[in-house]
Amino acid sequence: MSLPMAIAEPASSTLLDLTWVRSQFPSLAQTVNGHPVVFLDGPGGTQVPQRVIDAIADYLARNNANTGGAYPTSRNTDRMIAEARAAMDDFLNCAADEVVIGPNMTTLTYAMSRALGREFGPGDEIVLTLLDHDANFSPWKALEEQGVTIRTVNFNPADCTLDMDDLARKISSRTRLVAVGYASNAVGTINNVAEVVNLARQAGALSYIDAVHYAPHGAIDVRVLGCDFLVCSTYKFFGPHMGVLYGRREHLQRLQPYKVRPNTNNIPACWEWGTLNHECIAGIKACADYWEELGRRVETGLAPSETQQAASLQKRREKLSVMSRREAILAAYEATHTHERAMMERMIAGLLAIPRLKLYGISDPRQFDQRCATFAARIEGHTPLELATKLGDRGFFTWDGNYYALNLTEQLGVERSGGFLRIGLVHYNTMDEVERLLAALREIVGT
Ligand SMILES: Cc1ncc(COP(=O)(O)O)c(C=O)c1O
């Protein structure tokens, strides 16, 4: 890939300053075969802003050290990790000692399933869903080895929404844990996790939320949700390849992690094993800084209509000066949502107009609040791999297969024939990219 290429975006009603947004991500300027690259692979991992790259490089250049040493670079490393933790507590709305940092969501979930498994045995039940990524399925299913019973919740095949009646039926006084995804990484369904947490709590069970796919699209508030655990991966929301787990303090203190003896018994570090990827933790802090600046720029009213209203702008500036990092992050999410929603509506209308294309998941506008801008499709006569390859040659980076949402592809009968073509939009995508993707698809299928 080579040569940067400017991408013009027509004026839109979004509050996002898209020109600024895109200028932050150096990778967006690449081309392939002379085509500007369109990153539609966000569900597999998003691009990172320059400040994340700089923070990682800067850490390695100046502060590369292990923790707990009696010298400056080690102390700086300790401070940097504390800052990253504090940034993530603002991101999730919890306390810093409830933030566990790990290599990825899957590893953190296995660590937690092993620790919780020490308390579970025959007669205990865990409720899982068939809509979930396998990382929120297999680590819990592994507890069958010690006699735990797994109950699985179905989804409605017509629109890939979770069958909440089935979920309520599967939860009982024997349930010890309910594990559910906040949003599907395959079909984009956003689950009513607040209701799931409620049902779990009423039954005396713990709730474990996989927010990996939701995190780039919607603000997370573990206090409002009232969940016991929530996991996400920073590489899905413009940060480095790392995972973050929120655990309610009382659980992190009470549960016994598997760990080496010299490691501290204090939370959250007792859940963080070995030497972590410090340079990427520096990147986590920079990722939160990016979200914060995004929110502050939304609030400063960089949209043209705002600049005409000096008095209103002044007021906004005053508000800005007292806005907390959490408030700025929430403002960023609000603007992100508006922009993604407009692109989602256009993408769905455009996909449905392509002959022989089947879109999986919600397509009825009345349900759009229950989905994000992640689309799974198949086109008769073309395998998903074929489509992804042809799109890739034209600069559109999509995905094909099951993306580890294995139960879903099996249930929908597409696992043996290549799964789906997945198109994922995030806030740095543009309406123009949506139009060009639709045109490319039409050209590939010959309409
Ligand atoms: C919804 C969802 N959950 C869990 C995971 C696993 O995350 P990680 O790669 O951080 O282990 C993914 C990764 O694609 C995902 O999309």
Side-chain angles (χ1 to χ4, degrees):
M1 291 193 289
S2 59
L3 291 178
M5 185 143 180
I7 297 182
E9 177 73 351
S12 87
S13 61
T14 178
L15 292 167
L16 277 185
D17 179 356
L18 214 47
T19 306
W20 177 81
V21 166
R22 291 184 63 86
S23 73
Q24 300 303 294
F25 293 82
S27 60
L28 301 186
Q30 294 174 93
T31 61
V32 63
N33 300 335
H35 303 284
V37 171
V38 180
F39 287 94
L40 302 170
D41 60 342
T46 49
Q47 301 306 302
V48 294
Q50 184 64 48
R51 75 185 70 196
V52 169
I53 301 165
D54 291 345
I56 293 171
D58 190 64
Y59 174 80
L60 289 171
R62 295 166 194 271
N63 285 311
N64 196 12
N66 215 322
T67 53
Y71 56 97
T73 53
S74 181
R75 285 192 203 104
N76 290 346
T77 298
D78 289 335
R79 191 176 321 117
M80 180 277 290
I81 293 174
E83 283 173 7
R85 225 186 277 290
M88 286 317 295
D89 81 43
D90 274 341
F91 211 86
L92 302 172
N93 198 24
C94 59
D97 65 355
E98 295 174 311
V99 173
V100 178
I101 299 173
N104 50 55
M105 176 276 186
T106 306
T107 308
L108 287 166
T109 302
Y110 266 109
M112 206 42 79
S113 80
R114 278 172 65 83
L116 279 163
R118 289 176 141 164
E119 301 194 337
F120 300 167
D124 291 332
E125 296 184 359
I126 294 178
V127 174
L128 307 176
T129 95
L130 295 178
L131 196 54
D132 270 71
H133 186 285
D134 214 61
N136 203 25
F137 193 88
S138 288
W140 306 113
K141 194 164 163 48
L143 299 181
E144 280 179 326
E145 284 170 11
Q146 54 203 75
V148 172
T149 301
I150 301 296
R151 301 260 175 239
T152 53
V153 178
N154 297 320
F155 59 88
N156 304 302
D159 59 5
C160 298
T161 53
L162 203 57
D163 183 340
M164 291 298 279
D165 293 335
D166 192 37
L167 183 117
R169 273 194 301 274
K170 298 277 163 63
I171 296 177
S172 75
S173 57
R174 291 181 298 279
T175 309
R176 302 294 307 275
L177 179 111
V178 180
V180 69
Y182 210 142
S184 159
N185 68 316
V187 288
T189 312
I190 297 174
N191 295 318
N192 186 351
V193 287
E195 178 61 13
V196 176
V197 170
N198 234 347
L199 290 168
R201 196 189 305 113
Q202 280 166 21
L206 299 171
S207 49
Y208 191 96
I209 311 301
D210 171 4
V212 171
H213 190 68
Y214 186 73
H217 306 293
I220 296 167
D221 191 326
V222 294
R223 292 277 179 260
V224 168
L225 281 180
C227 56
D228 294 288
F229 301 95
L230 182 141
V231 256
C232 55
S233 306
T234 53
Y235 73 95
K236 308 281 191 180
F237 53 93
F238 322 113
H241 286 96
M242 295 292 285
V244 171
L245 177 140
Y246 154 77
R248 199 189 279 263
R249 184 181 294 123
E250 69 202 59
H251 301 318
L252 294 184
Q253 280 170 343
R254 179 180 53 82
L255 291 165
Q256 293 294 308
Y258 285 86
K259 67 174 197 62
V260 294
R261 289 172 300 162
N263 190 6
T264 175
N265 287 319
N266 296 331
I267 66 162
C270 63
W271 292 94
E272 295 169 346
W273 306 328
T275 304
L276 292 177
N277 187 331
H278 298 158
E279 54 272 31
C280 281
I281 297 176
I284 291 179
K285 163 73 169 54
C287 166
D289 289 346
Y290 168 73
W291 276 97
E292 182 181 358
E293 185 174 356
L294 184 62
R296 292 194 190 281
R297 294 182 74 90
V298 168
E299 285 297 309
T300 49
L302 287 175
S305 60
E306 288 293 337
T307 53
Q308 292 157 8
Q309 300 164 15
S312 148
L313 187 58
Q314 182 56 30
K315 269 199 188 134
R316 278 172 173 265
R317 287 215 171 103
E318 282 161 17
K319 189 176 161 212
L320 169 69
S321 63
V322 293
M323 190 162 61
S324 68
R325 176 163 58 192
R326 171 83 184 157
E327 286 167 335
I329 291 170
L330 294 181
Y333 269 114
E334 209 180 302
T336 291
H337 175 76
T338 308
H339 176 51
E340 287 186 13
R341 171 75 182 236
M343 291 192 293
M344 178 178 86
E345 290 178 10
R346 175 64 194 120
M347 181 71 88
I348 291 178
L351 289 175
L352 293 177
I354 294 174
R356 296 179 296 285
L357 182 145
K358 182 170 164 61
L359 179 66
Y360 292 79
I362 290 170
S363 58
D364 181 342
R366 285 169 301 184
Q367 292 174 280
F368 279 178
D369 286 345
Q370 294 172 59
R371 70 140 40 250
C372 58
T374 304
F375 313 97
R378 287 178 64 91
I379 304 180
E380 220 179 283
H382 303 263
T383 65
L385 175 59
E386 232 173 83
L387 291 170
T389 307
K390 287 181 177 165
L391 285 170
D393 292 345
R394 290 162 172 78
F396 299 95
F397 293 1
T398 60
W399 214 275
D400 68 283
N402 63 27
Y403 349 105
Y404 286 23
L406 181 59
N407 289 313
L408 178 87
T409 50
E410 284 178 348
Q411 295 289 311
L412 292 174
V414 297
E415 177 57 24
R416 287 173 176 208
S417 52
F420 312 107
L421 172 74
R422 180 177 66 187
I423 303 159
L425 297 172
V426 291
H427 79 299
Y428 54 57
N429 291 118
T430 69
M431 196 63 97
D432 181 55
E433 288 180 338
V434 172
E435 294 297 352
R436 284 190 286 129
L437 181 272
L438 290 168
L441 266 181
R442 285 194 297 266
E443 186 234 317
I444 288 167
V445 302
T447 58

